[in-house]
């Protein structure tokens, strides 16, 4: 089969663009740690409040410098809605929702989750800089959506 010179040129360009896109994905995953949040477990949303670990929400130290924050999302709050960890901590947030779809976002971090009823999701981030971070729901969840927020204090 004879392919025209110009046609071959543009085929090569489209293959090169595809290759560049794949390299960009690989680079963002390994270079910036961008990844899809995994669905780590299931829980009956109507019984989430009685089910471990959500029966005991809050901050738990699991290893030196590593904390797990178990949080329950519901209309229109996070429990707990204030979290304190020391600077330099690695924090794993584990959430579920007991009613509708909520979001969980901490600006300027990789933490960005969709919190669906019945599904447990996780995200981990290392907080090196002391300060106060806002965390909020970024999935429209009803009339009180705009007040569904909390605070993360990274202490010196
Ligand atoms: Cu919860 Cu918006």
């Amino acid at each position: 089969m004879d392919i025209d010179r110009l046609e071959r040129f543009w085929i090569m360009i489209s293959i090169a663009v595809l290759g560049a896109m794949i390299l960009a994905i690989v680079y963002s995953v390994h270079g910036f740690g961008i990844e899809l949040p995994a669905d780590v477990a299931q829980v009956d949303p109507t019984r989430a409040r009685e089910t471990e670990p959500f029966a005991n929400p809050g901050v738990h130290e699991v290893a030196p410098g590593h904390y797990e924050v178990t949080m329950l999302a519901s209309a229109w709050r996070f429990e707990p809605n204030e979290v304190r960890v020391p600077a330099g901590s690695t924090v794993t947030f584990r959430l579920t929702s007991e009613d509708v779809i909520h979001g969980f976002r901490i600006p300027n971090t990789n933490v960005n989750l969709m919190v669906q009823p019945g599904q447990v999701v996780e995200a981990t981030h290392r907080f090196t800089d002391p300060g106060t971070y806002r965390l909020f729901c970024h999935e429209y969840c009803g009339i009180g959506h705009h007040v569904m927020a909390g605070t993360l204090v990274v202490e010196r």
Side-chain angles (χ1 to χ4, degrees):
M1 187 173 61
D2 189 38
I3 302 176
D4 181 77
R5 197 175 57 84
L6 264 180
E7 202 171 354
R8 184 182 297 119
F9 173 76
W10 284 108
I11 288 172
M12 288 306 176
I13 289 209
S14 50
I15 290 172
V17 167
L18 203 59
M21 295 293 181
I22 290 170
L23 283 178
I25 292 171
V26 171
Y27 181 66
S28 63
V29 167
H30 294 284
F32 300 106
I34 294 170
E35 56 185 51
L36 291 172
D39 170 28
V40 288
Q42 259 83 44
V43 64
D44 176 353
T46 61
R47 302 183 50 83
R49 199 168 281 280
E50 296 105 73
T51 311
E52 282 301 330
F54 300 100
N56 188 20
V59 186
H60 308 284
E61 186 170 17
V62 289
H66 190 179
Y67 295 85
E68 255 177 30
V69 176
T70 306
M71 215 175 243
L72 196 58
S74 61
W76 292 280
R77 60 189 174 152
F78 294 108
E79 295 166 62
N81 83 343
E82 188 184 289
V83 172
R84 289 177 178 270
V85 292
S89 302
T90 300
V91 184
T92 299
F93 298 90
R94 181 175 296 156
L95 288 98
T96 195
S97 162
E98 60 176 4
D99 42 39
V100 298
I101 295 175
H102 296 281
F104 183 71
R105 171 96 177 102
I106 307 176
N108 304 318
T109 72
N110 242 357
V111 179
N112 183 349
L113 297 167
M114 181 187 266
V115 188
Q116 301 185 63
Q119 294 197 328
V120 182
V121 284
E122 263 185 16
T124 299
H125 186 77
R126 184 160 185 269
F127 292 89
T128 47
D129 300 326
T132 301
Y133 296 73
R134 293 291 285 163
L135 46 94
F136 58 88
C137 176
H138 65 332
E139 295 281 346
Y140 182 71
C141 56
I143 195 150
H145 164 69
H146 62 288
V147 297
M148 189 167 170
T151 311
L152 169 77
V153 181
V154 178
E155 294 172 327
R156 209 168 275 282

